[in-house]
Amino acid sequence: MEIKPLAFESLGVRSQATFIETKDVRILVDPAVSLAPRRYGLPPHQREVDRLTELAKVITEKAREADIIIVTHYHYDHHDPGFIIPKDIYKNKKVFIKDPKENINMSQKRVRAPRFLNSIHGLPESIETAEGKEIQIGSTKIIFSQAVPHGADERLGYVVQVAIKDGDQTILITSDIEGAPKDQHLEFTLKVKPNVIIIDGPLSYLLGYALKQEDLDNSIKNLERVVKEGAETMIVDHHVLRDLNYKTVLSNVYEIARSVNAKVMTAAEFLNTEPLILEARRRELFKEENKPARIPRNLAQLLTAGGQ
């Protein structure tokens, strides 16, 4: 199995886009990228837009190779109705989506999911809701969870987790569970027993605002549990990499991993590159070079709609 993170916060943008290839099938999960409209009272820096443009091209190229595209929910860093990623990546693909009508919040149900489905209408070979399904392709099995809350606050909606097994190993992509603050978030993990897990990490940069200390503590405890339960490699990225102090936030998880000979790393480190953290360094970027981004029209549409 080949696992290739395409775009993550440690690679410079908001995303969790991942390409997985087995001997039977090529799968792309969440082909989208976005930026924070404002952070620290600052707009995106030009370096962020340059990186987003670069990684959007990477996602587009890998999407054309994919047989299956999966959309785990309808935040703009996980799906794209054509703002940045071309809609034609869905042409002749088998597409599995988070149910657009059940276990979904109002903004996604009324606006984002219908807009996305209308944008790709007539392009895919097939579109199916993902929740609870298992698909066998040769020796590869794709297993979808039931919908689980987007972190501790169900008002942010629900996501679908996806596990891919090829007989040799199992990868689980949790989507946005914000580090698993609820035991419900771990049920699918404990069921599929992944060797490799890609998990988004807690919203520690919003502690005291959109994240309670209790939920942060629960997330860390559950991340430790995943490592203890046998995950050999944990890629922790996405939300937690919006915090410059992410290594401190995850310090106990790193310690537990060392004690059981497991690896905890960012997507960049999984690719053997140094993390390229841009959003969390926006103040620093503007001090180095006061260069607000020239926002392309398509990106402006996304930022106006709200990056998440």
Side-chain angles (χ1 to χ4, degrees):
M1 183 187 295
E2 177 188 351
I3 301 165
K4 187 172 179 61
L6 303 180
F8 279 76
E9 270 76 350
S10 69
L11 298 173
V13 295
R14 289 188 170 192
S15 182
Q16 226 177 0
T18 306
F19 187 82
I20 297 158
E21 183 172 359
T22 74
K23 63 183 179 182
D24 306 298
V25 66
R26 291 161 295 190
I27 303 161
L28 178 52
V29 181
D30 288 348
V33 285
S34 74
L35 300 176
R38 296 192 72 80
R39 182 81 191 271
Y40 308 119
L42 296 168
H45 191 273
Q46 187 60 44
R47 283 189 63 188
E48 294 180 80
V49 172
D50 291 345
R51 185 61 171 162
L52 177 138
T53 301
E54 180 183 348
L55 293 182
K57 291 177 181 176
V58 172
I59 291 172
T60 301
E61 290 170 4
K62 298 305 284 188
R64 301 200 194 287
E65 297 178 18
D67 305 300
I68 292 174
I69 296 178
I70 296 167
V71 173
T72 64
H73 64 295
Y74 302 100
H75 285 165
Y76 289 124
D77 48 351
H78 292 262
H79 88 292
D80 189 334
F83 291 146
I84 298 170
I85 306 295
K87 294 179 288 186
D88 67 3
I89 66 167
Y90 291 93
K91 188 173 182 180
N92 299 325
K93 309 296 183 183
K94 294 180 180 178
V95 179
F96 292 89
I97 60 172
K98 162 77 189 70
D99 191 316
K101 296 181 180 179
E102 300 294 330
N103 290 313
I104 186 169
N105 66 359
M106 283 299 105
S107 69
Q108 295 185 62
K109 182 176 183 177
R110 291 179 177 174
V111 179
R112 297 188 183 196
R115 176 190 286 153
F116 172 66
L117 291 173
N118 287 338
S119 74
I120 67 169
H121 179 73
L123 293 173
E125 175 186 317
S126 62
I127 303 178
E128 296 183 46
T129 56
E131 283 87 330
K133 290 184 177 173
E134 295 190 12
I135 296 95
Q136 188 82 38
I137 303 171
S139 60
T140 301
K141 181 180 288 188
I142 306 170
I143 309 169
F144 295 100
S145 74
Q146 297 294 339
V148 296
H150 188 297
D153 188 349
E154 296 180 4
R155 289 176 297 179
L156 286 173
Y158 291 76
V159 305
V160 173
Q161 302 173 302
V162 55
I164 300 165
K165 297 173 175 275
D166 72 347
D168 294 321
Q169 62 178 326
T170 300
I171 179 172
L172 168 62
I173 299 174
T174 67
S175 187
D176 283 5
I177 59 173
E178 298 178 14
K182 297 173 177 283
D183 289 345
Q184 177 185 356
H185 290 129
L186 285 191
E187 290 176 3
F188 191 62
T189 303
L190 298 176
K191 172 186 173 183
V192 301
K193 297 179 171 57
N195 308 99
V196 179
I197 183 168
I198 298 178
I199 191 167
D200 58 313
L203 289 166
S204 55
Y205 74 112
L206 295 177
L207 184 62
Y209 172 62
L211 178 69
K212 298 177 182 177
Q213 184 66 50
E214 177 186 1
D215 293 324
L216 176 58
D217 293 343
N218 286 339
S219 293
I220 298 303
K221 178 190 70 175
N222 282 335
L223 289 172
E224 293 172 4
R225 183 179 178 189
V226 170
V227 174
K228 290 176 183 176
E229 291 284 342
E232 299 163 9
T233 301
M234 174 186 283
I235 299 172
V236 189
D237 210 303
H238 202 31
H239 293 121
V240 76
L241 265 289
R242 299 175 194 172
D243 186 343
L244 284 175
N245 297 313
Y246 72 91
K247 289 186 178 179
T248 301
V249 173
L250 299 173
S251 59
N252 288 346
V253 183
Y254 290 127
E255 185 176 341
I256 293 294
R258 284 192 292 269
S259 72
V260 296
N261 200 30
K263 297 177 181 178
V264 174
M265 63 186 72
T266 64
E269 290 162 337
F270 182 80
L271 295 170
N272 295 313
T273 63
E274 287 294 318
L276 178 64
I277 299 171
L278 296 179
E279 177 184 324
R281 293 177 52 238
R282 194 172 284 182
R283 284 176 179 162
E284 181 184 336
L285 295 178
F286 273 92
K287 284 182 180 179
E288 292 174 357
E289 185 179 22
N290 187 15
K291 195 173 183 181
R294 297 178 64 183
I295 306 292
R297 183 177 178 183
N298 54 358
L299 177 57
Q301 286 181 283
L302 183 147
L303 294 179
T304 301
Q308 279 280 344

